[in-house]
Amino acid sequence: MPTKNNNSRRKLLKGLGLGAMTGFMGLYSGSPASAETANEKPAFLNGLPPLKITNVKAIGTAPSGSNLIVVKVETSEPGLYGLGCATFTQRAFAVITAIEKYLQDFCVGKDVDNIEDMWQSAFVSSYWRNGPVLNNAISGLDQALWDIKGKRANMPLYQLLGGKSRFAVPCYTHASGSTPEAAADQVSGYMEEGYRYVRIQQGGYGGTGLTGEPDFKKQGYGRESDQYMDQGKYIRDVPKLFETVRRQCGEEVELLHDIHERLEPMDAIRVVKSTEPYHPFFIEDPFSPEQMEWFQALREATTVPLAMGELFNNINEFKEPITNRMFDYIRIHISQIGGISPSMKVARLGEFYGIKTAWHGPGDVSPVGHAANAHIDLAVWNFGIQEAARISDLSREIFPGSPVMKDGYMWVNEAPGLGVDINEELAAKYPMHTRSNWTVRKFDGTIIRP
């Protein structure tokens, strides 16, 4: 049976609760809780007004030789638009068609803020899923929507992804030469520029361009532009390259190397193992995506860190390798995998398994795509390394606000969104082309499959 004191306590608490609720409702309803309270809600409670997509277009340009594609998403707010990288340089015109003939109709009239819904619906809207053409189109759209969201919030994109986990983005750059000594000289030069990480190659990927005329060309087989790789020579050259660079450049610089899926699996294991005495930072792409089962044997053979993933099309391709710790660094090509949204999901998954990021940033990524890489790099805790953005002066003129390389770091500006714009008039002066030189053959003309 309640006592008199208990009843009094309940009445007091009830009165306090009613008073607190009155004040709370006064704040959120606009009704004054006191004479001094303003009648209007604080500005932060008003939220952002609804905004619709009014146009989606593709902008193609090739100022430095590689085809670059940018998606521009325009909105119902005059002057507010977003940019995203959709570059698939080898099949650029197919991506432009996908954007202009399909995404335009798919997007116009939709809410610009619902990025996840837009990505998921675009992914299944054609029924047949994946593939670099579809994924690059979606990626450009996804990045552009994030760019708009950052501009709407008046924040750089990394702030919307959780804020900075580091002050800038450490990068690796590329050193190559026709001899190990020439490659080592380049490494020394990059070290003087402040780089702590350098990827070393001898010739092109797999040593292309270093040997004489192969038999298939003497016989008139294939095309004149087809490249030749002497796989045996490459296998022998890799440890010599590492040994020379280490001897000339010392132990402080971190060395990387890219096999680029150009060896048979057992040969790739031999090459990775041969670099072990020189403790590489990582060896990239030892196998093609079709040969993922070989990673278990490679893990058992060596402790050299591994990087993989730039050729993955489907975000789900990362699930099993990450959960089984098959490699150490996630090589995502942001436009290949579908944009910022899926890249963040893969990065977060990697964090749980101690696997770090190493986003793909070659010359056939637009400055908009490099900026997207960098904003994610700044935000995620399990960042590992970033491929450096070597952006020409002409490209910077076309893409004002491009990321800047300094002392081995990539820096983004603090403008809202991705921080990169485009001069469409200047971009149009450098039209795209249809050439591609990714055909590589053995001595007898057999295609080497990357």
Side-chain angles (χ1 to χ4, degrees), residues 164-242:
K164 286 185 177 179
S165 292
R166 51 203 53 84
F167 68 86
V169 181
C171 293
Y172 72 85
T173 192
H174 308 151
S176 183
S178 58
T179 65
E181 291 76 17
D185 289 341
Q186 278 200 12
V187 173
S188 297
Y190 287 131
M191 292 173 69
E192 292 176 1
E193 292 180 20
Y195 282 96
R196 295 176 172 86
Y197 306 83
V198 183
R199 192 181 76 183
I200 55 173
Q201 310 287 148
Q202 190 172 336
Y205 296 119
T208 57
L210 298 180
T211 51
E213 186 178 21
D215 292 346
F216 76 83
K217 288 198 173 185
K218 296 176 183 177
Q219 297 298 322
Y221 190 79
R223 301 184 65 176
E224 186 62 32
S225 60
D226 292 350
Q227 299 181 66
Y228 166 52
M229 175 182 173
D230 184 334
Q231 292 172 308
K233 183 178 187 305
Y234 169 69
I235 292 168
R236 296 188 297 272
D237 284 349
V238 170
K240 297 176 185 177
L241 173 65
F242 270 89

Side-chain angles (χ1 to χ4, degrees), residues 128-196:
W128 306 104
R129 303 168 192 177
N130 299 314
V133 173
L134 173 64
N135 279 16
N136 274 270
I138 293 175
S139 178
L141 170 65
D142 180 82
Q143 292 176 49
L145 294 177
W146 277 107
D147 188 28
I148 292 169
K149 192 175 286 289
K151 292 173 179 176
R152 294 247 279 167
N154 198 29
M155 290 182 177
L157 177 62
Y158 69 77
Q159 294 286 15
L160 300 183
L161 301 180
K164 286 185 177 179
S165 292
R166 51 203 53 84
F167 68 86
V169 181
C171 293
Y172 72 85
T173 192
H174 308 151
S176 183
S178 58
T179 65
E181 291 76 17
D185 289 341
Q186 278 200 12
V187 173
S188 297
Y190 287 131
M191 292 173 69
E192 292 176 1
E193 292 180 20
Y195 282 96
R196 295 176 172 86

Side-chain angles (χ1 to χ4, degrees), residues 385-443:
I385 193 64
Q386 172 63 55
E387 190 167 4
R390 291 288 187 175
I391 302 172
S392 68
D393 291 341
L394 175 58
S395 291
R396 291 187 182 279
E397 190 176 354
I398 294 174
F399 295 95
S402 295
V404 173
M405 294 299 308
K406 183 180 179 182
D407 300 327
Y409 291 91
M410 190 189 307
W411 302 77
V412 299
N413 60 59
E414 295 298 313
L418 289 172
V420 182
D421 207 345
I422 187 169
N423 183 330
E424 295 185 54
E425 184 177 347
L426 184 56
K429 295 181 179 180
Y430 302 92
M432 299 192 308
H433 53 79
T434 58
R435 297 185 301 275
S436 177
N437 67 339
W438 281 100
T439 301
V440 184
R441 299 180 183 272
K442 300 179 182 180
F443 68 93

Side-chain angles (χ1 to χ4, degrees), residues 119-120 123 130 135 312-322 332 336-338 341-347 349:
W119 194 96
Q120 297 290 349
F123 185 67
N130 299 314
N135 279 16
F312 289 178
N313 274 300
N314 187 323
I315 184 174
N316 295 294
E317 290 181 82
F318 284 99
K319 182 172 60 176
E320 184 176 350
I322 287 177
I332 275 182
Q336 175 87 317
I337 206 63
S341 296
S343 297
M344 286 296 296
K345 293 175 183 178
V346 175
L349 178 63

